[in-house]
Amino acid sequence: KLTILQSYHNKLESIPKILSIVLLLIFCILPLSTRGNLALRLILPATKNIYEQQYQMGRFFTRYYRTASIAANDIGAISFFATPSYLLDFWGLGSIELTRAIRNQKERKQLVAKLAREHHVQFAVVYADQVKSIPKEWIKIGTWTIQNNVVCAGNTVTFFVVDFNKIAYALQALREFSKDLPPSVIEGGWYVADKEFLRWVFNSPQL
């Protein structure tokens, strides 16, 4: 009887330990399960977002600005597909000068303009609603907007001409590439405007 009671007592003593282990496992596994389920639900729309925005940006720069000097604030796909001679990165990942300015909380608009002039930057694509250091002299000529965004930093990317002498080429490049964009991408800006109107605005027969 004593042996049975002792065995029963030992089992009772082990219950809190077992419960603690079970609760610990639940505590560790539950967040992973929640995140896993969320990730599974987001895979398809996220993949679509990247295809509609980042992948298309990479294709565009590869086709029209492969070795040019350009500026951007989301440089992954652009760097992967194209080989720009210089890439000015607004967020500092690829531009140490801007990294230092961000770290020291310095005004960056003049620095961006200076770097763009020094490196003969021709064209830029940025999340204009997030980037506050876009020089005012840059010319906004177009936008691409994706829908149901779950992964990209912004719904809309904005294209700027940095070198005014290259505006005709930039407008034509965006127009030509337009036919290869997914139909779900919403286009806007000057490059979708009437050609005659643009020729009058810029007094350029090349448009």
Side-chain angles (χ1 to χ4, degrees):
K1 291 181 180 180
L2 288 174
T3 303
I4 295 173
L5 288 173
Q6 185 65 38
S7 175
Y8 182 71
H9 179 71
N10 290 338
K11 288 180 180 179
L12 287 176
E13 284 186 337
S14 66
I15 289 175
K17 295 179 182 178
I18 295 172
L19 287 175
S20 298
I21 293 171
V22 170
L23 289 172
L24 181 62
L25 288 172
I26 292 173
F27 180 77
C28 293
I29 292 171
L30 190 59
L32 294 176
S33 174
T34 302
R35 291 188 65 180
N37 288 330
L38 178 62
L40 286 173
R41 290 199 301 272
L42 294 180
I43 282 175
L44 287 179
T47 302
K48 186 171 185 284
N49 294 159
I50 295 298
Y51 172 74
E52 290 175 330
Q53 188 184 93
Q54 305 298 310
Y55 180 65
Q56 302 307 324
M57 286 162 54
R59 291 178 63 228
F60 174 79
F61 279 96
T62 299
R63 186 178 301 179
Y64 299 100
Y65 293 92
R66 176 183 284 275
T67 59
S69 184
I70 59 177
N73 71 285
D74 200 334
I75 67 173
I78 296 171
S79 299
F80 182 80
F81 288 104
T83 53
S85 59
Y86 175 76
L87 179 52
L88 176 59
D89 179 8
F90 281 89
W91 284 347
L93 181 63
S95 301
I96 188 64
E97 301 93 341
L98 285 171
T99 303
R100 291 170 180 152
I102 293 169
R103 183 182 62 190
N104 297 324
Q105 298 181 340
K106 291 183 177 180
E107 170 60 40
R108 300 192 295 278
K109 188 174 290 187
Q110 291 184 352
L111 177 58
V112 168
K114 176 176 177 289
L115 291 171
R117 287 193 302 271
E118 289 177 352
H119 294 277
H120 308 289
V121 172
Q122 297 180 25
F123 198 66
V125 57
V126 297
Y127 296 113
D129 58 338
Q130 299 179 30
V131 176
K132 307 305 179 186
S133 52
I134 302 169
K136 62 181 180 180
E137 62 269 24
W138 291 12
I139 304 168
K140 175 181 173 180
I141 64 167
T143 59
W144 292 348
T145 301
I146 61 173
Q147 305 171 70
N148 304 314
N149 178 30
V150 298
V151 70
C152 294
N155 299 334
T156 300
V157 293
T158 301
F159 296 93
F160 291 87
V161 172
V162 181
D163 183 349
F164 184 81
N165 294 321
K166 305 290 185 181
I167 194 165
Y169 176 79
L171 288 166
Q172 189 59 35
L174 283 169
R175 279 206 200 96
E176 287 180 3
F177 192 77
S178 176
K179 64 181 182 297
D180 292 331
L181 276 175
S184 53
V185 176
I186 302 170
E187 301 173 78
W190 282 356
Y191 85 90
V192 298
D194 179 73
K195 286 187 178 182
E196 291 299 325
F197 170 73
L198 291 176
R199 288 193 186 102
W200 176 76
V201 170
F202 295 107
N203 191 27
S204 173
Q206 301 176 47
L207 296 175

